[in-house]
Amino acid sequence: MEGMRVEEADGDIVDLFVIGGGINGCGIARDAAGRGLSVELAEMHDLASATSSASTKLFHGGLRYLEYFEIRLVREALIERETLLRAMPHISWPMRFVLPWHRDMRFEGETPVSRILNVVMPWKRGRRPAWLIRLGLFLYDHLGGREILPGTKTLDLTQGPEGRPLKDKFTRAFEYSDCWIEDSRLVVLNARDAEARGARIRVRTRVAGAERRGGLWHVRLEGGKPSTVRARAIVNAGGPWVSDVITGTLRLNSSEGVRLVRGSHIVTRKLYDHDKCYFFQGEDGRIIFAIPYEGDFTLIGTTDVEHDDPDTAPECTPEEAAYLCRFASEYFARPVTEADIVWSYSGVRPLYDDGAKSATAATRDYVLSLDETGGAPLLNVFGGKITTYRRLAESAMARLAPHFPRAGAAWTAGVPLPGGDFAVDGVGALTESLESRYPFLEAGHAPRLVRAYGTEAAHVLGDAREAADLGRDFGATLTEAEVRWQMTHEYAREAADVVWRRTRLGLKMTEDQIAALDDWMRAARAPGAAAKGRAKA
């Protein structure tokens, strides 16, 4: 590569080098390592530091994608919900979604055309008619071979708790199933499992450049001591930066690209008491979710706004926050205002640029593009949904299979992630066991640990016999023992890694508590300190 000084290559040649530590990169690294390939992954920041920690936290088929005839994508996602649920019952669990329905769906005007459109396809102006919703939910129930999740039913909102937070005009709803997922933990656990199977995971390590020479990729890394890794193939899972990696880092030409779409969310104080989610339809044809979040809050999202530059940090703009508040207020009896917002976050979806007219209509399907023109293959990953990450990884390995004829077969379906080796309905029993073994834990502590670590929760607590044995208390049930576990086993380096990605305890901690945690972690990482992060750049 012209102008690039290539350092002496480190160690042996790896089969696969993965650029990007989001869900697609870590999922591919895990799959490849489990097939017997040697794998190395580099993430320029923390794992799940971009799109993969800013999702709506759902494993879902994508009910609204049926309108765009993305039947294959929806079917694949529906099947995956239960496959993934069995593999990670600690960080994923079933949820019921309530879709209120009402009749005020009309095209503007009283022309003969508008009257016909109101009858034939009223959803084109806004909310979908009941028959269309029923059809979509029928397909939703039957496309994916559902076994665990209960099917659709109709609710009388005048009778149950689901109707109490809503305006009186909503008297009827459809209720269906999807799943919650702790998105950042999903990424970290895939990385951990990849490493357990032989992969090397490098965090805070930037790929400064790469070139093909002698049938191999020579990948130059920055972060700690500069080095070069030789690889037989590269997977570019750069997410929002996938195009920049192609044209900038690798200096290749490509006619394919991503469409960056910002999805913003707001977190408000708890808006209702039951544990179900709401699926709201807007007059503009869009939808949002209102979801119980972290016990004391409600998560509302998302928007679809064009985002120009991946290097510009996405933020929920005042306009987006106001839009979400107005949208939710069309349904909730008590208006949702900006004063209710306690936090907001935003992520950039790297959708494949299919030329769609709007961000909402752009495909959520993934596209894998294989470049073999220079000998050593390059697989570029465009788009994708968190629900289909495992299938995307299998598809990626299928595309690379001719280059690795000795690689093993697909294996990840149903294989538990770390801590997920228990029954789908076993959270209650696991929590009771943890509370019995550690009776000094305060209320809510054991359930939170089980939901984060599953069967490994006891490893986090170790031989503690009283609260003092867990070390320093940082607030909101976060202890030194848990932070040390995350630094040693989960690549955490800074307070933000702990309180905004591996947990969401930042919502319940003060700024002073978070700053104290950051100071402690910095001291723990110092040379000679007892606790050091395992993930070394």
Side-chain angles (χ1 to χ4, degrees):
M1 183 181 297
E2 183 179 353
M4 186 183 91
R5 178 174 175 266
V6 180
E7 302 284 342
E8 195 67 31
D10 294 341
D12 297 330
I13 298 168
V14 300
D15 292 319
L16 198 63
F17 191 94
V18 180
I19 302 174
I23 187 54
N24 290 335
C26 291
I28 291 170
R30 178 193 184 220
D31 190 311
R35 295 174 191 246
L37 300 185
S38 55
V39 179
E40 193 151 334
L41 179 148
E43 161 57 44
M44 62 181 175
H45 300 303
D46 181 30
L47 297 176
S49 58
T51 304
S52 294
S53 60
S55 76
T56 313
K57 326 299 181 192
L58 300 177
F59 276 155
H60 67 122
L63 182 59
R64 72 180 182 86
Y65 303 150
L66 292 171
E67 291 182 304
Y68 299 100
F69 302 103
E70 297 207 50
I71 304 298
R72 187 209 62 78
L73 173 63
V74 174
R75 183 174 186 275
E76 182 175 273
L78 288 172
I79 294 171
E80 277 298 280
R81 293 179 309 175
E82 298 199 2
T83 300
L84 298 173
L85 190 59
R86 290 184 175 95
M88 53 194 81
H90 50 331
I91 62 169
S92 181
W93 54 89
M95 299 192 90
R96 294 291 279 174
F97 287 72
V98 177
L99 197 167
W101 179 77
H102 51 93
R103 297 177 179 275
D104 61 340
M105 301 173 294
R106 292 291 183 270
F107 280 86
E108 295 178 350
E110 290 298 327
T111 66
V113 172
S114 67
R115 285 195 291 271
I116 292 171
L117 290 175
N118 274 317
V119 174
V120 176
M121 49 181 188
W123 68 93
K124 292 295 184 181
R125 179 62 186 172
R127 302 179 183 94
R128 291 82 176 158
W131 68 264
L132 185 63
I133 295 171
R134 285 196 206 96
L135 175 60
L137 290 172
F138 175 83
L139 293 173
Y140 217 66
D141 278 347
H142 293 89
L143 276 175
R146 181 175 47 83
E147 296 178 3
I148 299 174
L149 301 174
T152 298
K153 68 177 184 179
T154 302
L155 294 179
D156 180 354
L157 294 177
T158 66
Q159 299 299 314
E162 300 88 353
R164 291 185 195 127
L166 304 179
K167 292 179 177 178
D168 291 342
K169 69 177 181 179
F170 299 105
T171 60
R172 182 183 176 195
F174 301 97
E175 182 181 293
Y176 69 95
S177 292
D178 265 321
C179 299
W180 176 264
I181 177 62
E182 297 287 353
D183 53 5
S184 302
R185 293 209 58 77
L186 175 66
V187 178
V188 170
L189 295 183
N190 269 271
R192 280 191 58 204
D193 202 45
E195 186 178 66
R197 298 173 191 277
R200 182 177 185 185
I201 307 297
R202 298 176 182 246
V203 297
R204 291 176 169 82
T205 301
R206 189 175 74 90
V207 177
E211 66 172 340
R212 289 174 168 124
R213 285 194 292 114
L216 297 172
W217 282 102
H218 291 246
V219 185
R220 185 162 61 94
L221 304 177
E222 293 180 350
K225 180 182 177 182
S227 60
T228 297
V229 175
R230 294 174 295 171
R232 294 185 175 89
I234 286 180
V235 169
N236 171 17
W241 293 271
V242 62
S243 293
D244 289 358
V245 169
I246 296 171
T247 59
T249 305
L250 306 180
R251 299 189 183 182
L252 300 174
N253 296 320
S254 176
S255 60
E256 296 175 301
V258 289
R259 182 173 190 166
L260 302 180
V261 176
R262 187 173 67 250
S264 293
H265 302 75
I266 57 174
V267 176
T268 71
R269 60 168 188 81
K270 191 174 183 178
L271 299 178
Y272 55 90
D273 292 328
H274 61 78
D275 62 356
K276 296 180 182 179
C277 311
Y278 289 105
F279 178 121
F280 294 152
Q281 303 179 83
E283 293 180 353
D284 58 0
R286 296 206 67 257
I287 64 98
I288 63 170
F289 296 101
I291 309 173
Y293 190 56
E294 296 297 320
D296 300 321
F297 308 97
T298 299
L299 171 64
I300 299 174
T302 178
T303 59
D304 277 321
V305 180
E306 304 287 354
H307 193 82
D308 295 330
D309 182 2
D311 291 324
T312 300
E315 295 182 355
C316 180
T317 65
E319 293 76 18
E320 288 176 283
Y323 169 83
L324 292 172
C325 287
R326 287 195 306 271
F327 200 142
S329 296
E330 293 177 9
Y331 287 82
F332 287 120
R334 180 191 176 281
V336 182
T337 70
E338 283 88 338
D340 294 315
I341 300 173
V342 298
W343 185 52
S344 65
Y345 67 89
S346 187
V348 177
R349 306 184 194 98
L351 307 181
Y352 182 72
D353 191 356
D354 61 354
K357 292 183 179 179
S358 71
T360 300
T363 182
R364 266 57 177 175
D365 208 347
Y366 55 82
V367 174
L368 304 176
S369 177
L370 185 62
D371 176 0
E372 302 169 291
T373 55
L378 165 68
L379 184 69
N380 296 305
V381 180
F382 297 93
K385 282 165 44 71
I386 195 168
T387 313
T388 53
Y389 87 90
R390 191 195 65 83
R391 289 296 304 274
L392 182 153
E394 286 186 339
S395 298
M397 296 310 300
R399 294 296 304 275
L400 291 169
H403 298 275
F404 300 108
R406 297 183 180 179
W411 63 275
T412 57
V415 175
L417 287 173
D421 50 338
F422 64 98
V424 170
D425 59 355
V427 166
L430 197 57
T431 302
E432 289 179 7
S433 174
L434 199 69
E435 290 173 333
S436 176
R437 181 173 174 181
Y438 303 95
F440 56 84
L441 295 177
E442 62 182 88
H445 195 172
R448 183 183 71 78
L449 292 177
V450 168
R451 278 304 187 190
Y453 306 100
T455 56
E456 292 188 325
H459 300 304
V460 174
L461 299 175
D463 297 327
R465 295 175 179 237
E466 57 183 24
D469 293 336
L470 298 177
R472 182 168 174 176
D473 181 354
F474 294 103
T477 73
L478 182 67
T479 65
E480 180 180 330
E482 184 175 358
V483 176
R484 287 187 184 278
W485 172 272
Q486 292 189 12
M487 294 178 72
T488 304
H489 294 82
E490 297 190 351
Y491 318 96
R493 299 281 193 85
E494 301 173 356
D497 304 346
V498 174
V499 305
W500 294 118
R501 284 182 284 277
R502 286 149 189 81
T503 73
R504 294 295 193 280
L505 292 176
L507 285 167
K508 301 180 180 182
M509 297 173 67
T510 67
E511 291 184 5
D512 287 345
Q513 287 174 325
I514 295 173
L517 171 63
D518 211 29
D519 290 342
W520 184 91
M521 293 179 70
R522 188 177 301 109
R525 293 196 316 272
K532 293 184 179 179
R534 182 183 54 177
K536 298 180 179 179

